[in-house]
Amino acid sequence: MIIPSLTLEHSSKTTLPGLREALRALPPMPPTVSFTDYRALHADQRALYDQARDDFVRLTLRVPTPEQDVSTGILARLIRTNPRRKNSRRGLMISAPLFYGKTELALLLARSVENDHAKHFPAYADDGDVPVVWIEMTENATGKTLLTQIIRFLAPTAVVAKSSNTDALRVQTLNLLRVHGTKLLVIDEAHHLSGTEPSSLIKALQNESSATVALVGISLGSGRAFGSGHGMQVTMRCDMVELRKVDISKDPGLALWTRWVAIFDRNLPLCDHVPGALTLNAKALHAATHGRLALLAMTVERLVASILDDSDRLNEQVTRERLFAVLDGLQHTTPLRHKVKLRDLVEVA
């Protein structure tokens, strides 16, 4: 059995090599083998196979969402029309509480922009084109922090002196965005920005650059960064996409949630896996994750990891006990609590 090995060398999306690696790291589903054949593999081959399965779940296994379609359409329109505007260029806001998959959605959008650019300009990387820039704000980030990160992304060897004033950094940033033909500027964790300076600089970037700004963060429309005052100048220039938990008390919500769970269920890269265990427990999974897609994906990832990490396992079946252990563990590593018990879970017949 030939198992391609995935090598990841860059840990941060806030560098150009790291972002491009994140955009391209989509390993295919590993070949399916029986547990008997798996045990017969050499130890090195088993380890490589387990790593490939873990990579597939973490990096590739995702489900389509309505917000993806909406966001993709909005972004395509903005990237097409913003260069034709002389001022008041519009941006995109992706807003949600914790564990709703904001960054994952932004990464999908970034990948779509990069892939579309590559389709039209196959030699874009050699030509120095950087269609997507990704920066991430931390607590108490300032406007100067924002500009410095963009400069370091596009010109990592550039020296940014502490004494540099904001106006000079703004001019340098705009020149770099123009020279590298940037189409999308993603500002992740944007809720950490507040005050008049960051808002004014983002507004300036929208006015003076044809790059579309995508702000990603927690409760952007009502938070301290962009929910009032000067921040509203940015908010009013953005199309808002809000991610919400799925309400399964209504038929459309239940159908959507069940479809998500079924997709994960069908694609679990486990030996001798028979889909059904997750789908039968869709409602319990909703209760445990509070209807949050990011937590559902985290549950699936941890479930697979817990099985693969068990060196004494006699099979890789998804049992009530294995699933409950993961759901119970969520309560110790996330701020969410649930009342799902082992007896609430259904065993596949």
Side-chain angles (χ1 to χ4, degrees):
M1 180 171 60
I2 299 175
I3 304 169
S5 178
L6 176 67
T7 301
L8 300 177
E9 299 177 349
H10 308 281
S11 60
S12 176
K13 295 190 296 295
T14 57
T15 67
L16 181 56
L19 177 62
R20 286 187 171 162
E21 184 177 77
L23 297 179
R24 296 166 183 169
L26 290 171
M29 187 171 186
T32 301
V33 300
S34 68
F35 190 68
T36 300
D37 290 341
Y38 167 78
R39 296 302 299 173
L41 293 172
H42 186 274
D44 290 343
Q45 282 290 96
R46 287 202 303 272
L48 189 60
Y49 184 55
D50 287 348
Q51 184 63 65
R53 293 192 284 173
D54 182 71
D55 287 341
F56 170 74
V57 173
R58 286 186 301 105
L59 300 172
T60 305
L61 184 52
R62 296 292 182 267
V63 298
T65 69
E67 292 84 3
Q68 289 175 12
D69 293 337
V70 171
S71 301
T72 301
I74 291 173
L75 186 58
R77 172 175 50 80
L78 294 178
I79 288 177
R80 184 175 64 253
T81 60
N82 271 338
R84 304 174 69 85
R85 291 174 177 263
K86 296 305 178 184
N87 53 29
S88 299
R89 295 185 175 95
R90 298 193 60 78
L92 174 67
M93 279 186 170
I94 299 175
S95 177
L98 288 170
F99 301 116
Y100 275 75
K102 301 179 294 296
T103 299
E104 189 62 40
L105 174 56
L107 191 62
L108 181 146
L109 295 176
R111 183 179 292 117
S112 70
V113 172
E114 187 93 6
N115 289 344
D116 182 72
H117 191 80
K119 182 170 62 177
H120 291 90
F121 306 97
Y124 77 102
D126 293 334
D127 293 339
D129 293 357
V130 183
V132 181
V133 170
W134 187 295
I135 62 174
E136 184 173 311
M137 299 295 96
T138 55
E139 191 69 36
N140 299 318
T142 64
K144 191 171 181 178
T145 304
L146 186 155
L147 296 175
T148 300
Q149 281 205 32
I150 298 173
I151 292 169
R152 288 177 174 164
F153 187 99
L154 290 169
T157 60
V159 177
V160 181
K162 291 184 178 180
S163 59
S164 299
N165 64 58
T166 303
D167 284 341
L169 293 177
R170 177 178 59 83
V171 172
Q172 187 177 0
T173 298
L174 290 167
N175 284 336
L176 286 169
L177 291 171
R178 176 182 55 78
V179 167
H180 292 284
T182 300
K183 295 179 176 178
L184 174 64
L185 168 61
V186 179
I187 304 175
D188 199 9
E189 304 294 328
H191 53 274
H192 287 310
L193 294 167
S194 63
T196 60
E197 185 192 48
S199 301
S200 297
L201 286 174
I202 291 172
K203 179 182 174 183
L205 290 176
Q206 290 178 309
N207 282 340
E208 302 174 51
S209 166
S210 62
T212 296
V213 177
L215 297 158
V216 184
I218 297 173
S219 304
L220 294 181
S222 57
R224 64 175 186 170
F226 304 103
S228 61
H230 286 80
M232 284 299 295
Q233 296 183 82
V234 176
T235 302
M236 292 174 66
R237 293 174 174 224
C238 289
D239 289 84
M240 176 74 74
V241 175
E242 293 187 280
L243 308 184
R244 297 181 175 87
K245 67 180 181 181
V246 178
D247 180 7
I248 63 171
S249 66
K250 301 177 181 178
D251 289 342
L254 178 59
L256 178 63
W257 181 262
T258 304
R259 184 161 68 249
W260 286 348
V261 175
I263 291 172
F264 283 122
D265 201 353
R266 287 197 306 270
N267 291 281
L268 286 184
L270 298 171
C271 295
D272 302 324
H273 172 65
V274 178
L278 295 185
T279 308
L280 287 173
N281 289 290
K283 290 185 177 180
L285 286 167
H286 184 276
T289 61
H290 292 222
R292 303 186 182 194
L293 177 57
L295 275 181
L296 175 61
M298 184 188 298
T299 299
V300 172
E301 181 181 327
R302 292 186 180 184
L303 174 65
V304 172
S306 67
I307 293 174
L308 300 185
D309 289 344
D310 180 7
S311 59
D312 297 324
R313 64 188 184 277
L314 300 177
N315 60 64
E316 294 184 354
Q317 296 172 5
V318 179
T319 63
R320 293 166 66 230
E321 289 75 16
R322 283 171 167 165
L323 181 55
F324 177 73
V326 173
L327 296 180
D328 190 49
L330 279 177
Q331 303 198 100
H332 303 291
T333 55
T334 69
L336 300 179
R337 298 293 176 264
H338 63 79
K339 298 180 180 180
V340 176
K341 304 296 183 184
L342 177 61
R343 63 175 177 271
D344 299 322
L345 300 179
V346 180
E347 191 77 81
V348 176

